[in-house]
Amino acid sequence: HRFSLIWERMCANNRLWDIVRPRVDMTNRCAYMLKTFEDRDDNHMHDISKLPYKLINPSEKVDVWVFGIFIYQLCSGGNPFHTGYQGDLRGVDAYSRLHHWNKVEADKSIREHIQDPLAQDLLRRILLPASERLPNMTAVLRHPFFSPTSTEAERYLEKHEEMQLLRENTVVVSKVTGVTSRMLEDSMEKYSQIAFSTDRIAFPTCFVVLPYGLQLDE
């Protein structure tokens, strides 16, 4: 009711009010609301003193974010947030997810829903909080996603394939038991014998096999 008094004119339009009204989160004892832009120029006739937030100055980074959501939808067929038919957020959980959105959340969502490696890299630079986001569309359009046959794109794809190979062939041992420890020791001894052509290794040795031709001083 207290929020409704602030936006009395909007309450008369049920559809508009359903979009902009604050979403009260009873669990976390807070409310989420959509902010609006400062578009009054030098004419400050409208009283904004009752608004519970400061107006947002227009920025190209907002356009970059919207473009990122568009690319995400094109590549995945979905939206990183729960939205309605017209793109408005649905439910308190969607507002909470957007409010707490950060680089870790972005990377997880992109990795799970976007298959194109160039699109993944682009979105990891766009769908971020404003302070970390690419500054404008000029910077966005320089990304190799928009020139997939370029040398830069080919280099990135090669690196991506190498990283994929590493992930597929990497095993993480979360807990080392006696059995696991013996397996590791036996495998080390086995590869040492192959490498040095001997049955007896007289010093502690551990091998890590990498899919690279490593060069000294590189």
Side-chain angles (χ1 to χ4, degrees), residues 1-216:
H1 177 69
R2 181 167 56 89
F3 287 125
S4 299
L5 294 177
I6 298 176
W7 291 285
E8 291 179 11
R9 290 183 297 108
M10 292 186 181
C11 292
N13 185 330
N14 292 332
R15 181 177 171 278
L16 177 61
W17 179 243
D18 185 55
I19 295 174
V20 302
R21 67 179 174 81
R23 264 58 176 185
V24 179
D25 186 343
M26 300 301 295
T27 302
N28 296 309
R29 301 180 64 83
C30 65
Y32 305 102
M33 65 191 71
L34 297 174
K35 295 182 180 181
T36 190
F37 291 100
E38 173 61 89
D39 60 355
R40 296 175 297 164
D41 298 323
D42 295 329
N43 182 5
H44 290 185
M45 291 177 55
H46 300 291
D47 179 20
I48 63 170
S49 61
K50 293 182 179 180
L51 288 176
Y53 59 81
K54 293 181 179 180
L55 297 179
I56 302 174
N57 292 321
S59 167
E60 287 187 79
K61 288 194 173 186
V62 177
D63 298 329
V64 169
W65 171 270
V66 174
F67 185 74
I69 295 294
F70 175 68
I71 294 295
Y72 187 103
Q73 291 175 322
L74 282 179
C75 294
S76 70
N79 193 297
F81 309 97
H82 182 204
T83 60
Y85 179 73
Q86 295 184 334
D88 49 306
L89 294 176
R90 292 291 186 182
V92 173
D93 291 342
Y95 281 81
S96 177
R97 178 174 169 82
L98 178 59
H99 178 71
H100 295 97
W101 188 259
N102 55 35
K103 187 174 183 178
V104 175
E105 287 293 321
D107 184 71
K108 179 182 178 183
S109 180
I110 292 166
R111 188 173 61 252
E112 290 178 354
H113 298 99
I114 307 297
Q115 295 184 352
D116 186 330
L118 290 175
Q120 286 183 353
D121 186 71
L122 173 64
L123 293 174
R124 287 191 180 104
R125 301 167 188 264
I126 292 180
L127 296 183
L128 297 172
S131 60
E132 305 173 60
R133 198 179 305 157
L134 290 178
N136 49 51
M137 288 302 299
T138 300
V140 170
L141 294 176
R142 289 198 200 104
H143 192 275
F145 174 77
F146 299 100
S147 53
T149 59
S150 66
T151 302
E152 184 180 359
E154 290 177 358
R155 281 200 300 264
Y156 178 81
L157 291 174
E158 288 176 0
K159 180 180 178 181
H160 176 78
E161 290 178 2
E162 290 179 353
M163 294 303 297
Q164 284 292 101
L165 183 62
L166 275 177
R167 292 190 186 98
E168 292 170 1
N169 291 278
T170 298
V171 177
V172 178
V173 181
S174 58
K175 183 178 181 181
V176 179
T177 63
V179 175
T180 307
S181 179
R182 284 192 296 274
M183 290 176 62
L184 291 172
E185 292 174 358
D186 292 343
S187 64
M188 292 174 193
E189 181 178 354
K190 174 183 176 182
Y191 288 114
S192 295
Q193 292 173 355
I194 295 174
F196 297 106
S197 301
T198 179
D199 292 333
R200 184 176 180 181
I201 306 300
F203 52 89
T205 306
C206 180
F207 288 101
V208 177
V209 180
L210 299 175
Y212 300 103
L214 300 179
Q215 299 294 326
L216 185 63

